[in-house]
Amino acid sequence: MELFESLIAKVKGTGKKIVFPEGNDERIVKAAVRLATDGIIEPIVLGKTAAIKQLAGVTQELPATLKVLDPATYPTAKFEEMVSAFVERRKGKNTAEQARKLLQDVNYFGTMLVYLGIADGLVSGAVHPTGDTVRPALQIIKTRPGVSRTSGAFIMTKGTERYLFADCAINIEPNAQELAEIAVSSAATARLFDIDPRVALLSFSTKGSAKAETVTKVAEATKIAHAAAPMEKIDGELQFDAAFVETVARKKAPDSEVAGHANVFVFPELQSGNIGYKIAQRFGGFEAIGPILQGLNKPISDLSRGAVEEDVYKVAIITALQATGA
C-alpha cells in the first residue's frame, strides 16, 4: 500500500478536527475543501466565509464538515474564556490585555483552539515564517514531559523505500541531551508511518574512528538515549555508510544491531540535516514530506512558504495521524 493510502486509512473516520489559521491563502482553502470532501478530516478554516468560498472557487455551499471561524466575530463570552485560559497557561507572563492583543493573531487564536480541545491539531506556515507557527505552540501547547525542545523530522519516500531524517528544521546546534531527545522522538514518529525504527546518530566518525568535540557529543547523546529508551534500537556514533550499507557496517561496526540497517537518521546539527535531506530529495529523487514537528503535547505542523496545495493536503493528514496516536 502506498504511504498516503495507509495514512488515510488510519485517519479516515476518526473525526479529527484540524485548524488552518491561514484562510486567506488559496492553497490552504483548496486543500481544506478536498480534505472535507474526501471525508478524511473535519477542517476548521479561520477567515470570512465569503472570502474562503471565493478562494475555493465554490459558488454554492462549502462541504458540510468544513467549519469556518472568523476570529473577528467570535462570540465575546467564548473569546474571554480563551483569554482567561491563555493567561492561566502563561502563568503570569502575559496580562489579559496582552492576551487579547496576541489572540488577534490567527496563529495564537488557532493554537488556543487546539489547547482548548476545539481542534485536534493545527497546520500553518504557508504565509507565515516558521517562528510565527512554532512560538505559539511552545508557549501554549508546550513540549511533552522529558522533552526540552521540539524538533523537525522529514519522511523521505521513493517507491517502497521509507526513511525518517531529523532534525532538519528547528535546532541549529543541539547539545547531547537534546540530540538524545530527538533520537527518541524520531523513533516514535517513525512508528506512525509503519517504520520499525532503527535509529542511527550520524557523525563523520564511526565508533571512535575520529576524535573531536562533535564526535564526543554524538557518542554521549547515544548513551543518554539508551538510558532514556532502553528498548529502542539506537546506535551511534555512525558514519552514514556504516549506518546504511551492510557490507560497510560489518567492517566498521560489526557488533551494532543498527549499523547497516538504519532507517531513522539523526543528524548532529541542523546544517548537516538540512543539507542531507535536500541532497536525498534532489539527487536521490526522494519525496521529502515535512517538517513534522516532534515533541509537542499536541500536533502543530509548520508548512514551507513554498508549499503547494498537495503539500498542505498531505501535512494535514500527517497532523491528524499524530493526533490519533496510531
Side-chain angles (χ1 to χ4, degrees):
M1 185 181 291
E2 290 294 327
L3 174 61
F4 274 90
E5 290 178 4
S6 67
L7 301 189
I8 289 168
K10 290 182 179 182
V11 170
K12 200 167 187 176
T14 61
K16 292 301 176 187
K17 297 176 174 63
I18 303 300
V19 60
F20 298 85
E22 300 167 320
N24 59 340
D25 187 272
E26 183 178 357
R27 297 164 294 173
I28 294 290
V29 171
K30 287 188 172 179
V33 168
R34 279 178 60 198
L35 288 158
T37 302
D38 294 347
I40 299 171
I41 64 168
E42 298 179 17
I44 301 172
V45 183
L46 302 189
K48 299 183 183 300
T49 301
I52 288 168
K53 287 175 71 174
Q54 184 176 8
L55 287 171
V58 175
T59 55
Q60 303 299 319
E61 293 302 314
L62 292 164
T65 54
L66 187 155
K67 184 176 183 179
V68 176
L69 276 183
D70 183 357
T73 60
Y74 200 61
T76 302
K78 289 185 177 180
F79 184 75
E80 288 304 314
E81 287 176 7
M82 185 181 285
V83 168
S84 297
F86 181 86
V87 171
E88 181 181 359
R89 184 62 166 166
R90 294 291 289 146
K91 300 186 185 301
K93 293 179 181 178
N94 293 105
T95 64
E97 184 179 351
Q98 289 170 331
R100 290 187 190 96
K101 185 175 181 180
L102 283 169
L103 289 170
Q104 291 173 18
D105 180 296
V106 290
N107 282 312
Y108 273 95
F109 188 92
T111 303
M112 279 303 295
L113 293 179
V114 178
Y115 176 66
L116 294 171
I118 297 167
D120 298 295
L122 175 146
V123 174
S124 189
V127 176
H128 296 87
T130 293
D132 289 1
T133 301
V134 175
R135 192 177 306 109
L138 293 176
Q139 292 177 354
I140 299 166
I141 304 300
K142 301 187 179 182
T143 55
R144 293 195 305 267
V147 177
S148 60
R149 305 189 70 171
T150 187
S151 57
F154 280 83
I155 293 293
M156 310 298 294
T157 68
K158 184 170 71 171
T160 59
E161 294 181 82
R162 197 177 300 180
Y163 307 103
L164 187 139
F165 285 12
D167 177 1
C168 304
I170 304 292
N171 297 287
I172 295 173
E173 192 70 58
N175 60 32
Q177 176 64 41
E178 292 161 351
L179 205 56
E181 292 172 8
I182 292 167
V184 175
S185 292
S186 296
T189 300
R191 286 194 177 88
L192 291 175
F193 298 91
D194 297 326
I195 298 172
D196 181 16
R198 295 182 295 277
V199 184
L201 283 90
L202 298 177
S203 175
F204 65 88
S205 168
T206 296
K207 301 297 183 180
S209 64
K211 304 294 182 185
E213 287 185 12
T214 51
V215 174
T216 301
K217 179 182 78 169
V218 177
E220 181 62 25
T222 304
K223 293 177 183 177
I224 296 169
H226 282 159
M231 300 304 292
E232 297 286 6
K233 295 175 182 176
I234 299 173
D235 202 8
E237 83 280 11
L238 295 170
Q239 292 164 284
F240 183 82
D241 58 353
F244 191 64
V245 182
E246 193 171 354
T247 54
V248 177
R250 283 199 293 266
K251 296 175 182 177
K252 293 188 174 184
D255 298 325
S256 173
E257 65 176 347
V258 170
H261 305 283
N263 50 23
V264 176
F265 301 94
V266 176
F267 292 83
E269 31 69 39
L270 180 60
Q271 182 166 243
S272 58
N274 189 270
I275 293 168
Y277 99 80
K278 288 181 177 178
I279 288 174
Q281 182 184 36
R282 302 300 180 180
F283 278 10
F286 279 81
E287 180 181 7
I289 302 165
I292 301 158
L293 295 187
Q294 306 181 134
L296 292 167
N297 281 308
K298 294 188 178 183
I300 305 292
S301 293
D302 175 44
L303 296 162
S304 164
R305 278 178 284 176
V308 297
E309 178 188 328
E310 186 68 15
D311 297 325
V312 181
Y313 185 88
K314 289 179 175 178
V315 169
I317 292 169
I318 291 170
T319 307
L321 178 67
Q322 288 178 291
T324 67

